[in-house]
Amino acid sequence: MGERADSARTQTTGYFSCSSYDVAVVGGGIVGLATARELILRHPTLSFVLLEKEKELAVHQSGHNSGVIHSGIYYTPGSLKARLCVKGATMAYEYCEKKGIPYKRCGKLIVAVEREEIPRLKALYERGLKNNVRDLRMIDTKGIREREPYCRGLMALDSPYTGIVDWRLVSLTYGRDFQEAGGTVVTEFEASDISSVTESPVGMKYPISVRSSKGDEVRCRYVLTCGGLYSDRLSQISGCSPEPRIVPFRGDYLVLKPEKHYLVRGNIYPVPDPRFPFLGVHFTPRMDGSIWLGPNAVLAFKREGYKVYDFDVRDFGDALSFRGLQRLVMKNVTYGLAEMYRGVFINAQVKILQKYIPELSPSDVLRGPSGVRAQALDRDGNLVDDFVFDGGLGEVGSRVLHVRNAPSPAATSSLAIAEMIADEVQKRFAL
């Protein structure tokens, strides 16, 4: 697998073999890579370039996530998220098999530890059945112990189709597919302006200019942006709507010490509490053999701020001044303070985890990595929970499509999302 990963990282950096393309895709995360791959496979006679601001691909959300292949239990039956997740999980497993990417179908238990959680758990089971999630079943205390000997609960929803994979490796393989099909990848290209070109003759065929913060330029007929944490700003620089806004939330994980790995076999999740905006802490085995516990969810002071003290004046000011975040905070003050407290004090985080595995103690864990989630918010403080596409008017707006929100589980759904976005590109631009 090392050889494949290296070849996927081979990128065109700092120069362009051609400065004009039919389509430019901005954003080298898993959604941008999957979509660029899908587009070039559908339209092999067209020229494509993928522009990424970092030195390597998939280093942010795509490289800082729990690594879970979700099965599609949580989402409203019939919703886009539900359909894409269920389809995407099947496609992900098939893709990994085809490409020789390691994965483990280790399963997941959603565990009720209190009686008032049981009706919500049963409702999740019914939802999962309606979503056609594979092999779901309800199990009792005895069944829980058979699956997870150290886990305690009254009842659980067993999802054996849930798995784990290294999503960054998957992303890099998408990138390799794109390049092998003739696509160009340009790294260290931070898009700072998307505007129209007026001069001819090149401007007649390639009327859109994408400029980098270093002064480099790519000209193209159409632009697709998949900017994740910067999706709102990419929309703004092309003259499109600034909303929904992206507010970054950092999730800090704990790591189980290796000598305690026997406590956890597969994913162990709580029953979601509808009063709170995020899922809650859980136990997640990783492909490298480690086991992550968490995360919490706190406001990040920088859009790519993976450390507690990371701070960016613009990012912090944009977040605090946004009316939507102010309203979200007011609605969830107690929850937010509790999350911050658990982020500082390991014992508080472990206390919640002990509801599921009582044998766990604070001495069994270490502080682990963090991830930052691009949470889209509207001005009323509501979490935007579905996909948002955006274009605009005029010469630029009519040639640009922004993927403004690709909510979790975007990695699991990435191949299905790519098909949907490619359909949208075809519809808007008639490629």
Side-chain angles (χ1 to χ4, degrees), residues 6 8 44 57 89 121 143 151 163 179 202 284 304 338 342 345 362 367 376 379 386 399:
D6 290 343
L57 299 173
L121 186 69
C151 182
Q179 289 177 291
V202 175
T284 306
E304 292 162 354
R342 286 192 288 270
F345 298 101
R367 290 195 182 276
R379 60 176 54 226
D386 215 338
R399 291 179 174 269

Side-chain angles (χ1 to χ4, degrees), residues 100-242:
I101 298 172
Y103 69 88
K104 295 178 184 176
R105 201 170 295 176
C106 56
K108 174 168 74 174
L109 293 185
I110 302 174
V111 182
V113 295
E114 298 174 0
R115 294 211 169 273
E116 55 264 34
E117 293 177 331
I118 292 177
R120 298 205 305 271
L121 186 69
K122 290 180 177 178
L124 269 185
Y125 175 61
E126 295 299 325
R127 177 172 283 194
L129 292 179
K130 290 178 181 176
N131 287 341
N132 297 313
V133 175
R134 298 190 187 189
D135 305 326
L136 276 186
R137 62 176 184 145
M138 294 289 289
I139 58 176
D140 58 13
T141 299
K142 181 183 176 183
I144 293 171
R145 293 196 179 192
E146 288 173 354
R147 287 275 282 104
E148 293 284 353
Y150 294 90
C151 182
R152 300 295 178 265
L154 302 175
M155 188 177 289
L157 180 53
D158 182 13
S159 172
Y161 198 65
T162 299
I164 56 173
V165 74
D166 180 343
W167 283 118
R168 182 159 190 256
L169 178 57
V170 174
S171 303
L172 295 174
T173 310
Y174 292 165
R176 188 191 64 187
D177 290 348
F178 173 71
Q179 289 177 291
E180 288 179 350
T184 301
V185 172
V186 179
T187 55
E188 297 182 84
F189 189 107
E190 182 176 3
S192 61
D193 181 70
I194 302 173
S195 56
S196 61
V197 175
T198 54
E199 69 266 25
S200 58
V202 175
M204 297 294 290
K205 186 176 180 182
Y206 303 103
I208 302 299
S209 168
V210 183
R211 294 183 180 86
S212 78
S213 55
K214 295 180 180 179
D216 295 319
E217 181 183 22
V218 165
R219 296 187 180 183
C220 54
R221 292 167 58 207
Y222 304 104
V223 178
L224 169 70
T225 74
C226 302
L229 285 157
Y230 290 91
S231 59
D232 53 347
R233 291 183 183 170
L234 286 171
S235 179
Q236 285 179 275
I237 65 172
S238 69
C240 297
S241 171

Side-chain angles (χ1 to χ4, degrees), residues 31 61 374 386-388 403-411 417 421:
V31 173
Q61 290 184 105
D386 215 338
F387 295 87
V388 178
V403 180
R404 299 295 303 273
N405 191 43
S408 177
I417 291 171
I421 295 173

Side-chain angles (χ1 to χ4, degrees), residues 292-369:
W292 290 8
L293 318 176
N296 63 342
V298 295
L299 178 68
F301 300 148
K302 182 180 179 182
R303 292 204 178 195
E304 292 162 354
Y306 302 106
K307 298 177 182 177
V308 174
Y309 301 109
D310 283 346
F311 181 83
D312 182 272
V313 173
R314 181 184 176 189
D315 291 347
F316 185 61
D318 280 355
L320 284 191
S321 63
F322 180 47
R323 179 180 174 184
L325 178 63
Q326 295 166 7
R327 292 193 168 188
L328 178 68
V329 169
M330 292 305 295
K331 289 188 287 187
N332 297 279
V333 171
T334 303
Y335 176 84
L337 291 174
E339 290 290 286
M340 292 175 67
Y341 181 80
R342 286 192 288 270
V344 175
F345 298 101
I346 287 180
N347 287 13
Q349 186 101 312
V350 171
K351 187 175 181 180
I352 294 178
L353 293 163
Q354 286 172 333
K355 292 180 180 180
Y356 304 91
I357 298 185
E359 284 83 353
L360 186 71
S361 70
S363 63
D364 296 333
V365 302
L366 301 169
R367 290 195 182 276

